[in-house]
Each structure stands twice: as C-alpha cells, then as structure tokens.
Amino acid sequence: MNTRFSANADKLNPKFEGYRLRPFQEANDLIRFPLGDIQVYEPTNDQRLGFRDLQARIRHSNLIYGYPLDESRGSSFCIDQEFNLHMIVYDQLTKNLQTHLITQLIKPLGGIPAFVDLDSTVPIEPQLPSAVSVSRELLLASNGVGDIELIGMEEKDGKMLGTSLASVCYLGVGNEGISPVPCMLLAARQIKAKIICVVYSRTASKTTEFNIATLELDIPTETTKRLDDGSFVLLLKTLHIQTGPEVPVYCAITPSGKCIFGSETRYNNVRLLQHEDDDVVEDGKATPMEIVEESPKQDAYQWSQEGADITVQFQLPENTPKAAINCKFLVDHVILLVQNSSVSYPFRKLWSTIQPDESLWTLEDNTLTLCMTKVDENTRWPQLFDKDDGILETLSDQHLSEIKDRLAKFTSEDNASSLVPNPSFVQAAQHPAATDMDEDVDDAGEPVVFSVYDRSGNVVDEFNSGTSRWICSSYEAANKLPSVCLQMDVDGLVFTLTEVGDKIQIEHTATFDAFAFVQASKRDARFIHHDIDCHFTSIIESSRNAYLYYHHDDKRLEEVQTLIDLTQGHDTDIIGAQIVHEKTLLVLTESHLVLICLD
C-alpha cells in the first residue's frame, strides 16, 4: 500500500497572501423559502449514542442530492417527520424553488414491544431515514428501521409525481440481535439493470462496531413478479460485508461496481456462505444467508520493552531489500512503509515519546527490527501505539515468572482480606457513562486508508492519505466519484479519483489556498465540502453561519471569502446542504430553505 496522493507543484500557489472578506449580496443572490408545513425528520433526544455513531449522524445531510432535471433545473430531496419524501426543484432561470410531495415511505409502527426481552447490547434505536438518487427516475430510500424502498418518479403537467415501486427488509448479517436491522444508506449506483448500494448498521456488542454491507438488487421490469398490492418483488442480494469500529468517512461506488471505503481504520471481511436455495423468496422477502467470520489474523508484529528500550519486529516477505523500507522516527510518531508487503504505518502515533536520534532499524533474515529508546525509561508502556490495536507485549519467561510471583504475594490468604474492594466503590465504577470511555477517539486524526473492494469483497487496491490530514470530500455529482481534499501544510489539496481497470487513478486537480488553516480554526463546522468543479469550498456551522471560500486557477495573490448568516440569530439548527446547480448551494434549516447563488 502507498499514499499515491502526491502534490503537483504546478497546482501550488506559494505566494498566496490571504483571503479578502467581501460582504455577500443577499438582496440579489440569497433567497429564503419557508418550509411551511414540512417538518424535517429529527431523531428523539432520548437516544444514547456512542461517539462514532454520533459522528456519523452529524456528517449526515438531511438534504439529499437529486439528479438534474434538465440544463436549467436541479433537484434535491428531504424526508419529513411523517416519513413523507419531498422533492425540491430549483429553476435557475427564475431563481425559484418548488416543493413536491413524492410519496410516503413505510412508516415505522413504533418501538420494541414491552414483552420482548433483548440483551442490553442490541442496538434497538432506529437510524435516521436516508435516501440516495440513482437516476432522474429512481431513488433508493430507507426509513431507518430496516425497510428499503425503490421510488419511481416522473414529471407530469409541471408536477413531480412518484410512487414506491418495491420494498424489501434488510435482514443484516445475523449479529445485530434484531431483524429487520436498522440501517442507513451511504451510496447507491445504477449499473445496467441492477443497483449496487451500501448500507451501515450497528452490531450487538459492548463496544461500537458497524457492519458496512454492499448489496445488489434488480431494477423491476414488466416481467418482474408482483405482489397482491401491485408492487414488485424486490430481491436483495448481499455481495460482501465489512465490519469495523467506525462508519467510512468516504464511500463511493465505481462505474464497474467496485466499492471504495475511506476510514481511519481497516475493515475486517465477513465471509458469506450462500446456499443454492438462497434465491427462494417467500412473501417478497429473501432468505438470510449464513455468516461465517474469518479466522483471527496473526499479529502484524511482535514487541517487547526492557527499561528504556523498545523492540518491534515485523516478518517481511522473502528477499525484501532494504531499499523497499521507508522508516522514520519522530518524537511521538513513527513512519514505516514497506513496499510489496502488508506493513504500512504512514504516520502512526506512539503511546508515549521516544528519542529519535537514539532509535534505529535493522533487516536480517527477512525480519525487520525497530529499536526505539523511550524518553522516560521508568514508564512501562501498556501498548505500542496511542490507538490500541490489540497486540499485546511479548514477555520473556523471566518476566512472566516475576509477574506470577508478585500475583502470588497479593493473592495469599494473609493479604486476601486487605484486597477485598469496598462494595460502594465497585458500584460507582459501574456507572453507565464508563462504557463510553472504552471507545478510542484520536482528536488529532489518523491517516485515512482507502480500500477498493470487488464484488466478492476482495481488496483489489489500497492507498492512504499518508501524512496529510483528511479535510473533506466534494458535494455529490451525477455519475462522478467524489473528489477528496487533504491537508498539506496550510493548504487544502483536491484529488480526483478515476477508475482505471482494477486500480484507482489519483490526480491533484486543484489547491484551495490556506484552506487547511482556516478550517482548523473553526470550532463549529458541521458540513465541510467543496463543489466537484472546485469553484468554491464551504464550511457550514450547525446553527448559524456559512463560510464560503472562492477558488481560481490563475494563482492570484488574494482570494475572496464571504460570510452568510443562515439563521439570522434564531435558535434554529442547520441540518443539510447540497449543490442544486452549478455555483448554486442549497442549505436546509429546521424552518427554511436558503438558496445561495455564487458568481
């Protein structure tokens, strides 16, 4: 694996001086449309979520991208509290917005019945309703409790009409503890007569764990079997499932049907055993598949410590040359990349600090050894990296014997009474809030690993952001892979991803001057995106302002930034943002649609 995100010097602007604030011409270029009777869906406040789950929900936009209707009209969607799907049509010629009620999604009946006794780890709370545009005529939607619907749309006499063509229950992978499984849509794409989509759901575990499932369904035709109510039978096939501690920050489906997941952690594959009768459908629901998790993988390395010395060993493929190894020691980080191997630590934070000048690496008999010297020799490290990867220290027989002797002293009958803890202390230690402390949260951020999966769930390509910090991805655009923006020094570098065979080609296409600097200074930044054509980038707060930064390719010394008060000081949340036309941004608040026209 390698970074492949390399900067193009011709796209950099080292002489850039800064942004010049220009007041936004609200009278001409900003229009506010009251939502009226539309009350956008909001989750109840009694749900207790982990950090990673909450993080994914904050990133979620309640304003859903829609395909352009023609050259002058763009569209978007939202789902209200009654699970009605509304289409928002923007006409560039008249600068007017119209809302159309398309259809009502399957409305959840309520919570879990009182007589059902579920384990406390089962995630029974519903997910947010979500939807993804597949084409001008098709949209895939989920009500958050496990029902996935295919919505068909058409324009008739100036009105947008729609209906639910088919629906199916998402049965998950079997480790969620509930069926149907509450899920959210991340991406969807039409490939010939099929739709590939990606959903995520929570597993039943004490720590936060997500299943990222890639599914396939057939687009109904006139020959497709229908149910008694006239709707089509929708067959849902599970292609592959990845499991990990967080929802991908980047999720895209390529034109050939491969999936790209970008996350700070790698995902583990869950193998599916498909039986010959899996295609049998009863009452319109596909039978679930048997799930077999992969056997535990061998530890990627071994490590031990003695006083101030830490030794880490990696087993490399045969005949690996020293020239294939890139290793650098920093005060609290290590950079280690080995070509043609699985050893990849592009910028990994250590548990504590080391002395780089006294640290070195050696290669002998295909064994790579890192010898690091601690700054504090009296501190024993509980793990090698700041973010625990579960690899325990390899202890010598002598060290194990010493630990055993110490435990024997404390567990003797003479000392047993003095070691009995105070019952009140034990009760206090079991406070529910303590469970949230088990999750690893690295405020500084880790390199984002991009993995490309084929239809069988095999990783066919992999690359990472290296030492560059993740900033954002682009707003959605029809039939295009979202571009990504990474931090390099104070700038934000935009990279375009293109599928070429089994590989993803990456090109540095634009630079948002000093954007990494201004983005890092914003404490409240809910929606951070740039448009796919790199005309501007936006930082939208959760309750007040939108900061817009313009971009041109002529390497000018100054660029323009502008500030827009979206809520005009009212206690109103900002819950969505999307591009509805070129250089036209639509923002959704709890009470208004705010249309921003950029020159």
Side-chain angles (χ1 to χ4, degrees):
M1 188 180 69
N2 53 73
T3 177
R4 298 225 299 269
F5 288 100
S6 57
N8 182 354
D10 293 336
K11 295 290 183 179
L12 301 179
N13 184 13
K15 296 182 179 180
F16 181 73
E17 295 179 355
Y19 286 95
R20 174 171 47 86
L21 180 63
R22 186 181 71 185
F24 191 79
Q25 299 179 358
E26 294 195 12
N28 301 323
D29 299 328
L30 188 138
I31 309 174
R32 302 177 191 272
F33 296 87
L35 286 176
D37 297 332
I38 300 177
Q39 185 179 357
V40 181
Y41 179 87
E42 288 185 273
T44 57
N45 294 326
D46 57 354
Q47 299 178 17
R48 187 171 176 273
L49 303 174
F51 173 81
R52 293 300 183 187
D53 211 341
L54 185 61
Q55 185 184 53
R57 294 195 178 203
I58 289 174
R59 289 197 301 256
H60 172 73
S61 173
N62 288 275
L63 198 59
I64 301 154
Y65 172 78
Y67 273 63
L69 302 181
D70 51 44
E71 291 184 358
S72 62
R73 292 185 302 163
S75 66
S76 189
F77 298 88
C78 67
I79 302 172
D80 69 14
Q81 201 71 29
E82 296 299 319
F83 292 86
N84 294 312
L85 177 68
H86 298 269
M87 186 177 190
I88 304 160
V89 177
Y90 166 67
D91 192 330
Q92 183 199 23
L93 300 179
T94 62
K95 289 191 176 181
N96 186 40
L97 286 178
Q98 287 186 336
T99 59
H100 304 267
L101 175 60
I102 299 299
T103 188
Q104 185 181 40
L105 305 182
I106 298 174
K107 191 174 181 180
L109 298 177
I112 302 298
F115 58 82
V116 177
D117 186 18
L118 293 175
D119 187 87
S120 60
T121 60
V122 175
I124 60 175
E125 67 275 1
Q127 296 286 354
L128 299 178
S130 55
V132 180
S133 294
V134 178
S135 66
R136 291 183 180 88
E137 299 81 20
L138 294 175
L139 178 140
L140 204 63
S142 168
N143 60 1
V145 298
D147 297 301
I148 298 176
E149 295 181 75
L150 185 62
I151 310 297
M153 298 169 292
E154 66 174 347
E155 185 175 9
K156 191 173 183 179
D157 298 330
K159 292 186 177 181
M160 302 303 301
L161 306 175
T163 186
S164 177
L165 300 177
S167 64
V168 67
C169 291
Y170 175 57
L171 302 180
V173 300
N175 60 357
E176 295 89 351
I178 186 173
S179 183
V181 178
C183 64
M184 278 188 67
L185 288 163
L186 289 176
R189 191 181 188 111
Q190 180 178 346
I191 301 176
K192 296 182 179 180
K194 298 181 182 294
I195 294 176
I196 307 294
C197 67
V198 178
V199 303
Y200 82 81
S201 60
R202 281 279 309 276
T203 65
S205 59
K206 292 183 179 179
T207 58
T208 303
E209 194 81 9
F210 297 95
N211 286 330
I212 316 299
T214 301
L215 313 173
E216 181 186 77
L217 52 93
D218 294 322
I219 298 176
T221 62
E222 292 299 328
T223 60
T224 304
K225 181 181 177 182
R226 292 177 180 263
L227 299 176
D228 295 337
D229 60 0
S231 62
F232 293 96
V233 174
L234 195 62
L235 300 180
L236 195 64
K237 178 182 179 181
T238 302
L239 299 181
H240 59 87
I241 298 158
Q242 314 299 323
T243 182
E246 62 184 48
V247 178
V249 69
Y250 182 92
C251 179
I253 301 173
T254 69
S256 67
K258 299 184 183 69
C259 293
I260 307 175
F261 299 157
S263 174
E264 290 184 356
T265 59
R266 284 188 179 87
Y267 293 97
N268 295 319
N269 187 39
V270 178
R271 290 188 292 111
L272 303 176
L273 292 184
Q274 187 172 358
H275 302 290
E276 294 180 356
D277 58 348
D278 274 346
D279 292 334
V280 177
V281 177
E282 298 179 3
D283 299 329
K285 298 179 180 180
T287 56
M289 297 180 181
E290 182 180 359
I291 308 302
V292 178
E293 294 189 1
E294 290 185 330
S295 57
K297 297 180 179 179
Q298 186 178 0
D299 289 345
Y301 59 87
Q302 291 183 332
W303 74 286
S304 61
Q305 56 185 321
E306 188 66 36
D309 299 325
I310 290 183
T311 303
V312 188
Q313 291 187 323
F314 298 86
Q315 195 64 34
L316 302 183
E318 291 186 8
N319 302 321
T320 299
K322 288 187 177 182
I325 301 171
N326 180 13
C327 183
K328 184 177 181 180
F329 300 99
L330 305 177
V331 173
D332 56 355
H333 282 74
V334 64
I335 298 174
L336 177 60
L337 297 170
V338 181
Q339 297 177 9
N340 302 321
S341 77
S342 60
V343 178
S344 176
Y345 299 88
F347 193 65
R348 195 65 178 270
K349 188 176 183 181
L350 298 168
W351 186 82
S352 188
T353 54
I354 62 172
Q355 301 181 41
D357 294 340
E358 298 185 16
S359 302
L360 53 88
W361 63 271
T362 62
L363 178 63
E364 186 176 357
D365 296 332
N366 300 319
T367 300
L368 173 62
T369 303
L370 309 186
C371 301
M372 299 180 289
T373 303
K374 302 177 187 175
V375 171
D376 185 0
E377 61 178 306
N378 297 318
T379 300
R380 189 167 191 85
W381 291 15
Q383 62 206 40
L384 182 60
F385 296 113
D386 177 62
K387 197 169 186 178
D388 189 9
D389 54 8
I391 298 181
L392 302 177
E393 178 186 1
T394 303
L395 301 176
S396 63
D397 294 340
Q398 180 181 355
H399 199 168
L400 287 172
S401 178
E402 292 176 358
I403 294 175
K404 184 177 179 181
D405 292 340
R406 292 175 186 173
L407 289 175
K409 265 202 302 188
F410 285 111
T411 55
S412 63
E413 293 184 0
D414 295 337
N415 294 322
S417 60
S418 63
L419 293 173
V420 177
N422 188 324
S424 62
F425 173 78
V426 174
Q427 187 66 27
Q430 295 175 349
H431 191 281
T435 59
D436 286 347
M437 298 173 63
D438 292 335
E439 297 190 35
D440 294 323
V441 180
D442 188 358
D443 293 335
E446 294 286 340
V448 174
V449 177
F450 295 84
S451 300
V452 184
Y453 298 88
D454 63 12
R455 288 174 53 87
S456 301
N458 301 314
V459 177
V460 295
D461 193 11
E462 197 171 55
F463 48 93
N464 65 77
S465 63
T467 58
S468 298
R469 180 175 56 86
W470 168 271
I471 296 181
C472 66
S473 60
S474 64
Y475 287 102
E476 293 181 63
N479 299 320
K480 292 183 180 180
L481 295 178
S483 54
V484 301
C485 183
L486 302 177
Q487 169 266 337
M488 190 189 81
D489 198 12
V490 298
D491 296 331
L493 273 56
V494 177
F495 294 90
T496 301
L497 279 62
T498 308
E499 183 182 29
V500 180
D502 285 340
K503 298 291 183 180
I504 298 298
Q505 181 176 309
I506 302 171
E507 181 184 2
H508 176 201
T509 52
T511 300
F512 288 111
D513 299 315
F515 183 63
F517 175 77
V518 297
Q519 181 267 336
S521 66
K522 300 292 187 292
R523 296 182 62 86
D524 181 8
R526 181 171 185 180
F527 301 112
I528 307 176
H529 293 289
H530 61 275
D531 70 312
I532 196 72
D533 297 316
C534 297
H535 295 306
F536 72 95
T537 186
S538 61
I539 300 176
I540 300 176
E541 296 178 338
S542 59
S543 61
R544 186 72 188 258
N545 298 319
Y547 300 88
L548 304 178
Y549 302 87
Y550 292 78
H551 169 260
H552 300 83
D553 277 330
D554 53 6
K555 295 188 178 182
R556 56 187 66 184
L557 298 180
E558 284 187 345
E559 283 283 7
V560 173
Q561 67 167 320
T562 190
L563 170 66
I564 301 173
D565 187 349
L566 297 171
T567 60
Q568 297 179 312
H570 297 291
D571 186 16
T572 303
D573 288 339
I574 301 169
I575 53 180
Q578 284 294 344
I579 295 289
V580 290
H581 202 273
E582 185 180 3
K583 297 184 181 181
T584 306
L585 178 63
L586 185 63
V587 178
L588 175 65
T589 73
E590 291 178 304
S591 59
H592 285 78
L593 285 164
V594 183
L595 185 68
I596 304 171
C597 302
L598 306 174
D599 53 17

